[in-house]
Amino acid sequence: MTQDAVVIVPGIMGSELRETASGDVLWGLSGAGWLLRAWTRKDGLARLHMTDDELAGKTGRVTATRLLRHGTWTPYLRGQEPYTDLLETVRDYVADPAAICAFPYDWRLPVAVNGRLLAERAREHLTAWRRHPAHHAALAHRADQRPAELVFVAHSMGGLVTRSALDGTHFDDLAADTRTVITLGTPFHGSVKAAVILNSGRGAPVPLPHARLRALCATMPGLHDLLPQYRCVRETGDTDVRRLQVSDVTALGGHPDLARATLDFHAGQRHVPLPDHRTVVGTRQPTWQSLELTNGQIIPHEDGPRPNSDGTLVRDRHERVQYFTVNGDGTVYRDAAALSGHVSTVPLQHGDLARADSALDTVTDILLEDLPQGIPLGEPGCGLTVPDLAEAGAEWPAVAEHTDSVQGLTCTLTNTETGERRPAALQMRDGRPTATLSAHSPGLYRVELHTYDRYTISQLVLVTEPGAGLTETDG
């Protein structure tokens, strides 16, 4: 048991949002019916769009009320698992539930804005916990009598918010009062998926929910803060790979002012140290790592360049850039999340990094100061590829990646609302174990792949009514 104060910071779209004036829930209701209405009705997400006042910094129209308690779904970002398992796990290893602070935030806003709010909340929480009777009781059982410090457990974008909170601009002693920072799949160097979201549907048909997401994110500072900051744009003929520029972001559908702001923000954050940083990184999942940008349209790739020790790129004998497949958690490729040298790897999808037992076991070890060595990169588990969107009655594949045998593999499809669970047989198809799945009714479903080495890789899939506007292009 730890005497420390734990702050849990969710990822993008991981907080329930309400309209302040009316109290209406804008994001985070339970039930597949709400999700289907949100992503298929023209006005389903209208009130989530950033207003001119919000873009000018006048916030307060929307209030973040709590961490997600129900699974939800977003195109490209796919399933967002609830944070209930993470909260319950941490609760088992703190001196008292009062030692836990869950920090919901308006993920539409800039990371810097939420970093300031987190710094204020963390300072208040640590002060209150140190005065709590349960804290004093916990110290009586500690040989070192060390007063509580902060432990941040941050998923996805939450790690960026945490780094911003600890950059010294809000409280110069907050980092000194922090024992450790645990990040779960945080895109410290950004994610190609953020660029794809801004670009989806520009010049080509796109499923309606994906167009809805594009429209929502085009002026969302929080999404721009997730754009890749590393060399990811392939030049013609593999002559070089460069970073995204403001003109690129504008061409692919983003906002130029927000693109400039995020470049400046990340430049200032790049050298901010995180106290005793422990990184949990998803591996083995096919993950976009680089992109081609031609006439404002993106072609993403699941491989990317690799630097030499002097910063130059590895090239072949013809001086063409060579590309390597690294994989990641399906949203953030491994090297973009591995900011520190203390890395634990788990073969999980991005949304499951704050829910799966293998990730929670790692969090527990770090919380109890029994620091794990991590798993050798690329060794265990396998990857899972499924569509993020399907139609009721249609068949679709679930493919196990990085394994060439069905031995020891099982697959199940579960309706998250009813709990109905159906097994699915895996067969070799094109050299990869594949299960053919189908859902009879619309809803939110969880595909689980259970592996021979006792890992479970899962992914949420939204199933719609047949022909529910899935090829419309307007957002």
Side-chain angles (χ1 to χ4, degrees):
M1 184 175 295
T2 179
Q3 79 272 38
D4 289 319
V6 181
V7 182
I8 298 177
V9 191
I12 188 171
M13 295 187 165
S15 303
E16 177 187 275
L17 301 183
R18 290 179 180 262
E19 189 173 57
T20 306
S22 66
D24 293 346
V25 177
L26 306 182
W27 179 260
L29 281 173
S30 63
W34 173 80
L35 275 173
L36 290 165
R37 290 191 298 273
W39 289 110
T40 58
R41 288 185 178 179
K42 187 173 184 179
D43 61 348
L45 299 172
R47 287 190 288 175
L48 275 179
H49 285 241
M50 295 287 293
T51 65
D52 290 341
D53 279 349
E54 288 171 323
L55 287 171
K58 300 176 183 177
T59 60
R61 181 182 70 88
V62 173
T63 300
T65 51
R66 61 184 180 182
L67 274 56
L68 279 186
R69 299 188 181 185
H70 313 281
T72 189
W73 177 91
T74 306
Y76 293 119
L77 299 175
R78 299 185 177 181
Q80 176 67 61
E81 296 285 2
Y83 290 95
T84 48
D85 288 344
L86 177 59
L87 284 164
E88 290 174 2
T89 297
V90 172
R91 191 175 292 119
D92 288 340
Y93 295 98
V94 293
D96 188 90
I100 302 173
C101 170
F103 179 74
Y105 61 92
D106 185 350
W107 34 263
R108 304 171 310 138
L109 303 180
V111 165
V113 170
N114 287 313
R116 173 179 56 81
L117 296 174
L118 174 58
E120 295 170 355
R121 184 69 187 93
R123 171 53 69 202
E124 293 171 356
H125 176 57
L126 180 60
T127 300
W129 172 239
R130 283 177 171 175
R131 294 172 177 168
H132 197 284
H135 173 252
H136 299 302
L139 291 186
H141 299 285
R142 300 284 302 194
D144 58 6
Q145 295 290 294
R146 174 179 65 80
E149 296 177 306
L150 288 164
V151 173
F152 290 90
V153 182
H155 177 231
S156 190
M157 178 193 272
L160 301 181
V161 175
T162 300
R163 184 172 63 175
S164 178
L166 295 172
D167 66 7
T169 61
H170 313 293
F171 297 96
D172 57 11
D173 59 348
L174 194 62
D177 279 334
T178 299
R179 172 166 74 81
T180 189
V181 175
I182 307 168
T183 57
L184 312 170
T186 291
F188 286 106
H189 301 290
S191 171
V192 167
K193 271 197 175 179
V196 173
I197 287 169
L198 290 178
N199 192 237
S200 61
R202 294 177 66 85
V206 64
L208 185 147
H210 299 68
R212 295 275 187 267
L213 181 63
R214 179 200 69 214
L216 173 64
C217 292
T219 58
M220 184 193 295
L223 191 280
H224 285 71
D225 283 341
L226 299 180
L227 288 168
Q229 303 298 310
Y230 58 91
R231 295 170 71 173
C232 66
V233 183
R234 301 186 183 198
E235 296 283 18
T236 303
D238 295 332
T239 57
D240 203 2
V241 182
R242 60 176 177 81
R243 288 180 170 84
L244 275 175
Q245 302 170 357
V246 172
S247 57
D248 298 325
V249 178
T250 304
L252 59 86
H255 193 289
D257 291 341
L258 298 181
R260 292 186 193 93
T262 195
L263 288 175
D264 291 343
F265 170 72
H266 281 284
Q269 294 283 294
R270 194 164 293 133
H271 302 295
V272 174
L274 291 175
D276 193 37
H277 184 204
R278 306 287 162 168
T279 308
V280 181
V281 176
T283 59
R284 307 290 279 172
Q285 313 307 312
T287 307
W288 290 329
Q289 186 178 335
S290 64
L291 60 91
E292 292 179 64
L293 184 57
T294 306
N295 297 324
Q297 294 188 37
I298 280 180
I299 301 174
H301 295 276
E302 292 178 355
D303 55 8
R306 179 172 294 173
N308 294 301
S309 58
D310 62 358
T312 61
L313 299 180
V314 176
R315 297 175 180 269
D316 64 16
R317 62 188 181 88
H318 301 292
E319 288 302 305
R320 293 175 300 203
V321 175
Q322 289 189 280
Y323 297 99
F324 302 85
T325 300
V326 174
N327 294 309
D329 62 22
T331 294
V332 184
Y333 99 96
R334 190 189 70 202
D335 292 351
L339 185 65
S340 73
H342 302 284
V343 178
S344 297
T345 61
V346 284
L348 298 175
Q349 292 276 354
H350 186 74
D352 227 14
L353 281 169
R355 172 183 173 272
D357 288 344
S358 52
L360 297 181
D361 287 346
T362 302
V363 170
T364 299
D365 288 341
I366 299 170
L367 192 62
L368 298 180
E369 304 185 73
D370 180 17
L371 303 180
Q373 295 299 310
I375 302 166
L377 293 178
E379 287 295 322
C382 60
L384 172 64
T385 298
V386 297
D388 62 353
L389 186 68
E391 294 185 355
E395 292 185 341
W396 38 279
V399 181
E401 308 281 358
H402 311 302
T403 182
D404 56 6
S405 171
V406 299
Q407 185 175 0
L409 297 179
T410 59
C411 183
T412 57
L413 180 67
T414 303
N415 185 316
T416 62
E417 198 159 14
T418 67
E420 179 188 0
R421 182 182 178 94
R422 290 192 288 119
L426 290 122
Q427 297 179 330
M428 296 302 296
R429 185 183 303 169
D430 298 326
R432 296 184 297 176
T434 303
T436 299
L437 305 178
S438 178
H440 300 302
S441 59
L444 187 64
Y445 290 80
R446 180 178 289 110
V447 180
E448 292 182 310
L449 181 66
H450 311 278
T451 72
Y452 61 89
D453 44 11
R454 297 194 299 271
Y455 280 96
T456 296
I457 300 96
S458 72
Q459 181 65 66
L460 294 173
V461 178
L462 185 67
V463 176
T464 70
E465 292 280 6
L470 298 186
T471 57
E472 293 185 25
T473 59
D474 64 293

